[in-house]
Amino acid sequence: QVQLVESGGGSVQAGGSLRLSCVANGIWLSLNAMGWYRQAPGKQRELVALMPSRGPTTYSDSVKGRFTLSRDNTKVTAYLQMNDLKPEDTAVYYCYSAAEVRTGVLDYWGQGTQVTVSS
């Protein structure tokens, strides 16, 4: 079982910055992809950024050049640095991980953290 614990959300004015953190706790064979999704009111959850265990990181077109996803050396913590925030970035941000556990590769989600950007 894997638990993803998020922190770092909050309120900021347009043009400001925030950094989200996600720590994975539990037992796993390997943490494969880690990243972030977001869901704005009345909209479907959408990909923000996703880093596989190997290969390049994927960013949504709306955040390219403004957001940066990184993982620490232990690979259990993921960070989302968000710069030049815009009101349309307002959403609940969810940490995501695809982890290999004893029963197979499963998807795990954090509880979500609110990001509010005012104009």
Side-chain angles (χ1 to χ4, degrees):
Q1 187 74 358
V2 178
Q3 299 84 40
L4 302 176
V5 181
E6 303 141 337
S7 61
S11 297
V12 66
Q13 288 191 328
S17 298
L18 285 172
R19 189 174 86 151
L20 305 182
S21 299
C22 173
V23 180
N25 296 311
I27 299 174
W28 57 81
L29 297 175
S30 65
L31 282 180
N32 298 337
M34 284 190 78
W36 295 87
Y37 286 71
R38 68 186 181 188
Q39 187 167 19
K43 295 187 177 182
Q44 289 188 332
R45 190 173 297 190
E46 64 175 4
L47 171 71
V48 176
L50 187 66
M51 179 184 290
S53 56
R54 296 176 183 176
T57 299
T58 298
Y59 293 94
S60 72
D61 288 342
S62 62
V63 306
K64 279 181 183 176
R66 300 188 297 122
F67 291 12
T68 302
L69 175 63
S70 61
R71 291 171 73 171
D72 69 349
N73 289 337
T74 66
K75 304 295 185 182
V76 300
T77 303
Y79 304 97
L80 185 67
Q81 178 66 42
M82 305 185 293
N83 297 328
D84 190 23
L85 283 159
K86 303 176 180 181
E88 50 265 41
D89 295 318
T90 295
V92 177
Y93 284 69
Y94 296 91
C95 182
Y96 163 83
S97 179
E100 183 177 3
V101 296
R102 187 170 54 85
T103 54
V105 178
L106 301 177
D107 295 331
Y108 294 92
W109 297 91
Q111 78 282 3
T113 185
Q114 178 70 46
V115 171
T116 302
V117 184
S118 58
S119 58

